[in-house]
Amino acid sequence: MTAVSRTVPATITTERLVLRLFSPGDVEDRYAYQSLPEVARYLYRPPLTREACAESIAARAGGTDWEADGDGLLLAVCRAGEPGVMGEVVLNLRDARARQAEIGWSLHPRYAGHGYATEAAGALLSLAFGPLGVHRVFARLDVLNTASAAVCERLGMRREAHLVENDLDGDRWGSEYVYAMLAREWNG
């Protein structure tokens, strides 16, 4: 079965959260967490500049279709009924033919420990395995990122791989875990 063109919804709601497309007015909120070294350290890149945050928001603010390798969805994570962005979730179509997608999340550290990342990622998994017709979703994360590993495990994802020193982060060799789930395994 090949991937078909599907339009990705601009807003997803959960019990406590609203996941929506970023708008130009969200640059400062996104920069507030993407500029932090403790957020960037597990992403194998330096903290983002204000300009980089603005450029990536501008590039993805209109959303995307879901049909070709590289299509992706970047959504702001907001608390329902409250202003401001507390983080983001991303879903990228890595292989359209095989219906494989990569999921990721970043939250401002002040919102850590409240289940927001799990709730937001769970909503994205429901979208992936439901309307988008994804067969397999995977997450790649630094083995030192125990918080994200716990999110994967709470979602029911299985650890499929441990890649040893597979990426260079400045002077440090980083190792990764790959977690994944198949559509038939999702209970969300």
Side-chain angles (χ1 to χ4, degrees):
M1 177 180 189
T2 59
V4 295
S5 179
R6 300 173 195 264
T7 301
V8 179
T11 303
I12 302 168
T13 58
T14 69
E15 183 179 329
R16 302 180 297 162
L17 303 174
V18 174
L19 311 180
R20 61 165 175 78
L21 292 174
F22 276 93
S23 69
D26 296 325
V27 171
E28 290 304 317
D29 285 349
R30 186 165 190 242
Y31 176 68
Y33 62 89
Q34 285 290 352
S35 65
L36 298 173
E38 62 264 36
V39 170
R41 74 176 160 188
Y42 297 129
L43 301 175
Y44 297 105
R45 61 155 174 78
L48 293 183
T49 64
R50 182 176 280 102
E51 294 76 24
C53 288
E55 288 170 11
S56 65
I57 286 173
R60 291 181 147 177
T64 185
D65 284 338
W66 189 261
E67 63 183 350
D69 293 358
D71 284 351
L73 180 64
L74 175 66
L75 296 176
V77 177
C78 309
R79 286 193 287 195
E82 295 184 24
V85 174
M86 56 196 281
E88 63 195 61
V89 288
V90 63
L91 188 68
N92 290 311
L93 186 55
R94 293 296 182 208
D95 187 330
R97 186 193 62 76
R99 299 180 355 251
Q100 310 276 318
E102 182 176 2
I103 191 172
W105 48 84
S106 296
L107 289 180
H108 194 294
R110 81 178 104 182
Y111 300 108
H114 300 285
Y116 295 128
T118 303
E119 188 173 334
L124 217 50
L125 285 175
S126 289
L127 173 68
F129 292 135
L132 297 181
V134 172
H135 170 69
R136 177 176 173 270
V137 173
F138 66 93
R140 296 176 16 193
L141 49 122
D142 189 295
V143 298
L144 299 177
N145 189 347
T146 56
S148 283
V151 168
C152 290
E153 291 166 7
R154 280 192 295 275
L155 291 169
M157 299 175 83
R158 112 188 106 267
R159 186 183 304 166
E160 291 186 337
H162 180 179
L163 308 174
V164 179
E165 294 185 4
N166 67 309
D167 206 343
L168 187 59
D169 178 18
D171 296 334
R172 177 183 78 91
W173 283 102
S175 298
E176 285 184 333
Y177 288 139
V178 177
Y179 282 84
M181 176 180 281
L182 301 175
R184 69 175 177 263
E185 298 169 328
W186 178 241
N187 295 324

